[in-house]
Each structure stands twice: as structure tokens, then as C-alpha cells.
Amino acid sequence: MTTTVMTTTIDLTERTVGDIAVEMPLSIRVFEAWKIDYCCGGRTSLTDACAAAGKSVAAFVAELDSLTTVPEAASRDWQADTLTATAARIVGTYHNYTREELQTITPIAQKVLGVHGERRPELAEVVALLGELTADLLPHMLKEEQVLFPYVDQLEEAAAGRRSAPTPFFGTVKNPVRMMMAEHDRVGELLARLRQISDDFTAPETACFSYRELYRRLAELELRTHEHIHVENNFYFPGAVALEDRAGQPNTLVDGCGTHGCNH
Ligand SMILES: [Fe+2]
Ligand SMILES: [Fe+2]
């Protein structure tokens, strides 16, 4: 086991946290616990990320080895599927949840503000930040579902030789990807601010049930949004760009199975 860990340590130091999160979903638990940004900041090397968190890569590997159970949302092997199937799972796992959660959590936040706002002024900012998150995320997800995902579906069809390459109005997939990643950055900032003003989502000792429930759900929203952004930034978007490079030129269809990373 020692040899394996040492080998893993050497290999991992050269990798980015985003790639590690894709290849070893269990690592997401450690990243979250150590507050390492693996989604918007996915291009940071593990060495640098651990150093910024005051940890060593060896400690990271040891922590990873100690985990035996995998949270459902983080246990998926996102690399095993086509991009079309991945997009469907992103919608089913993250978009639907996010829409529903933002809709139901906001009235709870407003209620808690109404009851506790005088003594806890940060609750007004919690409500405001939830409003900003909603205003940002709803149109963002709609753009992915109505523009980006259908285009990538068509690219996969083209790569499999079932249709000609699509001609997008946005030129190249790199343009919407750049826009989506910038919007992810903004969402990441809003979530970080939420965590900061809520003392890491810690309700006061005397808090009522609604107050505690609000913070529990905000913490879950943060976790699931990190995973959501991670899957898109570190897996789906790079896969879409690579696919367009292979299949996106009209009249230059390539043979392929249409699976991410598969050049057969
Ligand atoms: Fe999304
Ligand atoms: Fe997104």
C-alpha cells in the first residue's frame, strides 16, 4: 500500500484539482472539507491548492485513502458516458434540483429574516444573495439547455456519422463555453460570500428550526452547485471543445463512437 500511495502522490502533484475530481470523484469530499476550489478553480495544481489550504499532497492522499464511502452525487463516473448522456444527467441531477431548491429556499430565507433580521443583520444579505443566485442561475441553465447542450448533441451525432456537422450561430463552442465559465465564476463568488457571512452556514445556538434548516439547505446548495460547475468546467466543456475539433467542420466527418475522449 505504501508503494501505491507514494506512486499516487508523485502522479497527483502534476495534476490539476479539476482533473483529479473528474477521475477520482471521492476527492471532492476532501476538496470540500479543505475548502479547495475544484470547480471554478479547477485548473490549479494539486500541489498549489494543498499549499494554499495549509496541507501537503501526502496528507491529501492519506485523507483520500481513508474515505470508504462515496456520496451518491459524487460517485458517478462522468467519463463513462457520451456528452449527450452527460448533459441529460446534468439537467436531471443538478438543473432540476437547483430550480426547485432556489424556489423553495427563498421563502424560508425571507421568513427567517422577518423573525430574526433585527438581531442578525447578515440575514438580509443572505436573502439578497439568494436573489442574485436565482437571477444568475435560472437564465444560465436555460442557455445551457436551449443552446449549448443541443449543439453538443448534434456534434456527437455528426461525429458518429449520423448527420452533417452543425453550423452554430455562435461560431464555435468555445464562445458559449467561455461565457458559461465566466457565469460560473460569478456564482462561485456569490456562494463564497454566502458561506462567509453565515459563519460557514452555522446557525446561532438559539436558532429556531427554520433558521437551522435554511443553513443546512444552503450548505447543500453550495455543495451541489460546486459539483455541478465541476462536471461542466472540468469534464463536459473540455469534452465539447475536443469534440468540435474532431467533428465540427462541415464535410469533414470523422469516424467515432461519439464518446468523450474516444478517438476510435
Ligand atoms: Fe449547468
Ligand atoms: Fe453551467
Side-chain angles (χ1 to χ4, degrees):
M1 191 60 199
T2 307
T3 310
T4 309
V5 169
M6 285 181 70
T7 307
T8 311
T9 306
I10 292 163
D11 288 341
L12 290 183
T13 54
E14 307 298 321
R15 311 299 306 280
T16 66
V17 291
D19 284 346
I20 292 168
V22 169
E23 289 160 27
M24 293 182 285
L26 203 54
S27 65
I28 288 173
R29 277 193 162 189
V30 185
F31 291 144
E32 289 285 349
W34 291 4
K35 296 184 182 162
I36 288 176
D37 179 2
Y38 61 96
C39 45
C40 294
R43 289 180 184 168
T44 310
S45 74
L46 180 65
T47 307
D48 289 349
C50 284
K55 308 277 189 178
S56 68
V57 172
F60 173 83
V61 173
E63 188 74 12
L64 198 57
D65 282 349
S66 74
L67 297 177
T68 51
T69 55
V70 188
E72 199 276 333
S75 65
R76 290 193 169 134
D77 180 3
W78 294 91
Q79 295 178 295
D81 262 327
T82 61
L83 292 176
T84 301
T86 299
R89 288 204 314 203
I90 288 172
V91 173
T93 305
Y94 297 114
H95 288 198
N96 292 344
Y97 156 80
T98 304
R99 285 192 181 98
E100 198 175 310
E101 190 61 9
L102 287 171
Q103 194 178 27
T104 54
I105 205 172
T106 299
I108 297 174
Q110 288 164 337
K111 180 181 147 194
V112 173
L113 170 65
V115 177
H116 303 278
E118 270 187 34
R119 293 173 63 184
R120 310 295 303 199
E122 70 273 17
L123 288 168
E125 193 176 352
V126 168
V127 170
L129 286 167
L130 269 176
E132 277 195 70
L133 268 180
T134 305
D136 285 356
L137 275 169
L138 294 189
H140 172 87
M141 294 188 295
L142 211 58
K143 280 182 275 188
E144 287 176 341
E145 290 172 21
Q146 295 188 342
V147 178
L148 182 57
F149 294 171
Y151 172 66
V152 177
D153 290 354
Q154 290 174 2
L155 277 181
E156 243 170 17
E157 289 277 298
R162 291 195 289 270
R163 56 158 291 155
S164 59
T167 310
F169 69 86
F170 42 76
T172 160
V173 76
K174 290 173 186 149
N175 291 325
V177 160
R178 198 177 300 119
M179 179 193 280
M180 294 301 107
M181 288 179 76
E183 292 176 2
H184 287 172
D185 286 347
R186 176 64 188 148
V187 167
E189 289 167 7
L190 293 172
L191 289 171
R193 179 70 185 152
L194 260 180
R195 173 174 279 281
Q196 187 188 20
I197 63 169
S198 64
D199 190 19
D200 290 335
F201 304 113
T202 309
E205 284 286 309
T206 53
C208 64
F209 174 80
S210 296
Y211 203 149
R212 291 178 191 281
E213 182 65 2
L214 171 67
Y215 276 11
R216 185 193 68 75
R217 285 173 63 169
L218 284 177
E220 189 178 336
L221 179 68
E222 182 204 47
L223 171 65
R224 296 193 67 171
T225 306
H226 283 168
E227 288 177 2
H228 176 183
I229 291 175
H230 150 64
V231 170
E232 291 175 353
N233 276 19
N234 298 323
F235 171 65
Y236 186 86
F237 293 165
V241 169
L243 182 64
E244 189 184 60
D245 284 344
R246 295 207 316 274
Q249 304 302 314
N251 306 319
T252 53
L253 295 180
V254 295
D255 290 333
C257 66
T259 302
H260 167 73
C262 178
N263 293 309
H264 302 307

